Amino acid sequence: MEAAAHCSLKAKRLLLDPKFEGYKLSLEPLACYQLGLDAAVAEVKLRDDQYTLDHMRAFGMYNYLHLDSWYQDNVYYIDQFGRVMNVSVTLDAALQKPREVFRLPTDLAAYDNRLCASIYFSSSTWVTLSDGTGRLYLIKSGKRGNSASEKWEIVFNEELGSPFTITHSVSFVKSDIHSVAVLLLRVEKDELDTKGSGFHISLEWVTIAETSEEGDHRYEIFKRRILQGKSVPHYVAIEPSGDGLMILSYKPFKFMQDEEDKLEENDDEKVTNKKKDPLYYWQQTEDDLTVTVHIPQDIIKDDIKVQFSPDNICVTLKDQPPLMEGRLYSSVDYESCTWIIRENKSLEISLIKKSEGPQWPELIVGDTRGEFIMDSSQRSAVAECLMHLTSEVMNPNPDKENPPCNAQELEECDAFLEDSASLCRFDGDTLKITHVMTQNWGKWLRHQIVALLLGGTLTDWRNGQRRTS
């Protein structure tokens, strides 16, 4: 099985405002509009059996007021009678009277086990809609925001199982066939999970495509794919072309495949899980690095080829693919680098650092096949640096106002999950992860994601040019 490419994110300087000095608290009051409704919003509250952190996170993702990102002066909500109501903002100063644009055929009051009805605007003329009972609607809306041309027409509706929330949807044309892809999120009971919360997160990726038979144009489900994970994702999105899926989550997701694929996947996991010895061991000082690679007994000096460059290294045995290859963490003095074969049939490579002093956290960027060996002096230096963080007693200063934090008393909801999430890209055909980015997601990255979601650059967002919230 081909491994996913591990990527890193780099700041795109063109999107950054060089004159930005920092955020400042504004005491100016926010604009607030009030409008009386002739019917209450269709509100749903968590039930007693929806008690986990994931239920709270999934519920917190929902907003009763839906912004139309294609016509940003228009918002929508669903009232207790199942009516989809449109409200327009005029000149940033006034709200127009709500007008009905669509009515759900379902009597929402008749269902106890339901979620909030959810809407996602797939394009300027297409809408996906869930009534919260498990039924999905695909609607052709016409040009929204204009009462004369806006006419919501159901072109597809089908019961898709247990209730779900729509998290994302896109409309695209491929090979002259119009399709709409939609992501449905569920928090489902997991009978096999006896040590965790007892629930898992399900993301169903549904593609609805236009079909034509004897002049009869209609929409049908073309594909249904399901992913499962153990945490509600922070962000999910289908690529505009419908070819891939992006998921930012604390815990990984994977596709649920048929039995034959599961057996193959289990075999791959068994091979992967077998403990492997490191391909190489490496040590370092302030001046140089030493890499030790075990080689087969039949390898002689003429079979080995080691290529050095200022930022890269490549080790090849005979005519085989490179044993080690990649970009070094930092630059080296490649003309001074050497290698020899030791008596114990190991290849020893010496690399001279171009910049003396800084410690390398890894030898080859992204390569996890090596193991760093720390000598006794380095271990002592690390221990000394951490000495001020440790104590022989639980509470060395009992007179302090606040007692020390006991990590064993923390619960799942106390963890800072967003600081250790992974962003993965899934391929829609192979159902495999093609790219993954795992790192600490600080405020800078979250700001970029928000800016992208709002359709502008980070500079636009910082300068307040995006008024949507």
Side-chain angles (χ1 to χ4, degrees):
M1 183 176 64
E2 186 177 353
H6 287 261
C7 308
S8 59
L9 297 181
K10 296 182 179 179
K12 190 172 183 179
R13 298 298 176 184
L14 294 177
L15 299 181
L16 300 178
D17 183 2
K19 298 180 181 179
F20 177 74
E21 297 179 353
Y23 295 104
K24 297 180 180 179
L25 177 63
S26 174
L27 300 180
E28 296 181 4
L30 295 174
C32 182
Y33 307 114
Q34 294 186 0
L35 184 66
L37 307 179
D38 58 359
V41 174
E43 185 179 3
V44 176
K45 296 183 179 180
L46 287 174
R47 303 187 305 271
D48 291 340
D49 60 343
Q50 298 172 319
Y51 54 85
T52 68
L53 175 62
D54 287 322
H55 283 103
M56 293 293 294
R57 286 183 176 272
F59 189 81
M61 292 170 60
Y62 183 81
N63 194 325
Y64 289 113
L65 203 58
H66 304 272
L67 171 70
D68 189 342
S69 58
W70 302 90
Y71 306 95
Q72 295 194 8
D73 289 334
N74 287 268
V75 292
Y76 295 78
Y77 68 91
I78 300 173
D79 68 14
Q80 61 185 1
F81 298 122
R83 299 181 300 173
V84 179
M85 308 296 289
N86 166 256
V87 180
S88 297
V89 181
T90 305
L91 299 177
D92 294 338
L95 297 177
Q96 297 293 319
K97 182 180 179 181
R99 61 184 181 89
E100 179 181 342
V101 297
F102 181 75
R103 186 183 293 255
L104 288 168
T106 308
D107 181 10
L108 301 181
Y111 292 84
D112 295 329
N113 183 25
R114 67 181 179 92
L115 300 175
C116 300
S118 53
I119 304 174
Y120 205 96
F121 301 98
S122 312
S123 73
S124 59
T125 56
W126 289 91
V127 181
T128 50
L129 173 63
S130 164
D131 60 7
T133 69
R135 182 170 290 274
L136 176 66
Y137 296 87
L138 175 60
I139 298 172
K140 188 174 183 180
S141 64
K143 185 177 180 181
R144 298 184 297 273
N146 186 332
S147 58
S149 59
E150 183 171 4
K151 183 180 180 182
W152 290 38
E153 174 189 359
I154 299 176
V155 298
F156 168 88
N157 81 96
E158 189 170 318
E159 186 75 29
L160 298 182
S162 58
F164 55 81
T165 300
I166 298 176
T167 57
H168 194 252
S169 179
V170 294
S171 170
F172 58 93
V173 176
K174 186 179 296 184
S175 300
D176 295 327
I177 298 176
H178 175 246
S179 301
V180 174
V182 58
L183 278 177
L184 315 176
L185 183 141
R186 299 180 177 95
V187 182
E188 299 177 326
K189 189 72 176 176
D190 190 344
E191 301 295 342
L192 300 178
D193 184 7
T194 58
K195 296 182 179 180
S197 65
F199 292 86
H200 65 243
I201 310 304
S202 170
L203 279 175
E204 184 170 5
W205 182 3
V206 181
T207 302
I208 305 169
E210 183 181 16
T211 61
S212 179
E213 295 181 2
E214 299 179 357
D216 180 21
H217 293 270
R218 57 181 177 176
Y219 284 80
E220 296 179 347
I221 291 181
F222 175 65
K223 283 184 181 179
R224 291 182 71 173
R225 294 144 290 183
I226 297 178
L227 302 95
Q228 285 187 3
K230 298 299 293 183
S231 65
V232 173
H234 300 295
Y235 170 74
V236 291
I238 305 170
E239 292 178 352
S241 62
D243 294 328
L245 173 65
M246 305 289 287
I247 300 180
L248 173 61
S249 62
Y250 167 55
K251 295 183 180 179
F253 277 78
K254 66 177 181 178
F255 276 99
M256 307 306 296
Q257 303 170 354
D258 56 35
E259 294 301 323
E260 184 178 345
D261 291 334
K262 284 183 180 179
L263 292 175
E264 182 181 348
E265 185 176 298
N266 290 336
D267 292 340
D268 291 338
E269 287 182 357
K270 289 179 181 178
V271 173
T272 303
N273 291 334
K274 287 183 180 179
K275 186 172 178 59
K276 295 182 180 179
D277 292 331
L279 175 64
Y280 58 88
Y281 298 89
W282 63 288
Q283 296 176 289
Q284 66 176 315
T285 66
E286 292 185 354
D287 306 317
D288 56 30
L289 305 101
T290 302
V291 185
T292 303
V293 185
H294 292 290
I295 57 178
Q297 293 292 327
D298 59 342
I299 295 295
I300 61 176
K301 184 176 181 180
D302 293 338
D303 297 331
I304 302 174
K305 185 177 181 181
V306 182
Q307 294 178 311
F308 300 109
S309 68
D311 300 302
N312 292 271
I313 186 173
C314 181
V315 179
T316 307
L317 304 181
K318 288 187 176 180
D319 296 328
Q320 302 175 7
L323 184 67
M324 290 174 56
E325 184 180 27
R327 182 167 61 89
L328 297 170
Y329 176 79
S330 187
S331 299
V332 296
D333 182 3
Y334 70 100
E335 294 181 345
S336 302
C337 297
T338 60
W339 63 271
I340 60 173
I341 298 179
R342 292 292 184 186
E343 296 179 356
N344 60 350
K345 271 296 179 181
S346 64
L347 171 65
E348 185 176 290
I349 303 171
S350 297
L351 303 174
I352 308 302
K353 293 181 179 180
K354 195 168 185 179
S355 300
E356 299 179 1
Q359 295 289 303
W360 291 17
E362 57 183 345
L363 180 66
I364 299 176
V365 176
D367 189 351
T368 59
R369 299 173 299 169
E371 181 178 320
F372 175 62
I373 305 298
M374 188 180 296
D375 61 32
S376 57
S377 60
Q378 291 171 329
R379 285 195 295 268
S380 300
V382 171
E384 185 176 350
C385 291
L386 300 176
M387 188 66 69
H388 70 286
L389 301 176
T390 63
S391 174
E392 297 293 336
V393 295
M394 179 64 187
N395 188 3
N397 190 356
D399 297 330
K400 292 182 67 175
E401 181 179 353
N402 297 321
C405 173
N406 185 357
Q408 296 179 348
E409 296 178 356
L410 295 177
E411 299 181 2
E412 184 181 6
C413 59
D414 297 318
F416 297 96
L417 307 184
E418 64 273 11
D419 290 335
S420 57
S422 297
L423 178 62
C424 300
R425 189 235 179 220
F426 290 84
D427 184 85
D429 293 326
T430 64
L431 308 184
K432 303 294 184 182
I433 297 177
T434 60
H435 299 79
V436 60
M437 286 167 278
T438 303
Q439 60 189 74
N440 291 332
W441 298 83
K443 292 182 179 180
W444 177 83
L445 179 57
R446 288 196 290 271
H447 289 168
Q448 277 211 331
I449 291 177
V450 170
L452 291 174
L453 290 176
L454 296 180
T457 65
L458 184 60
T459 304
D460 292 337
W461 189 61
R462 282 174 168 171
N463 288 342
Q465 295 178 12
R466 294 287 168 181
R467 294 173 286 105
T468 311
S469 61

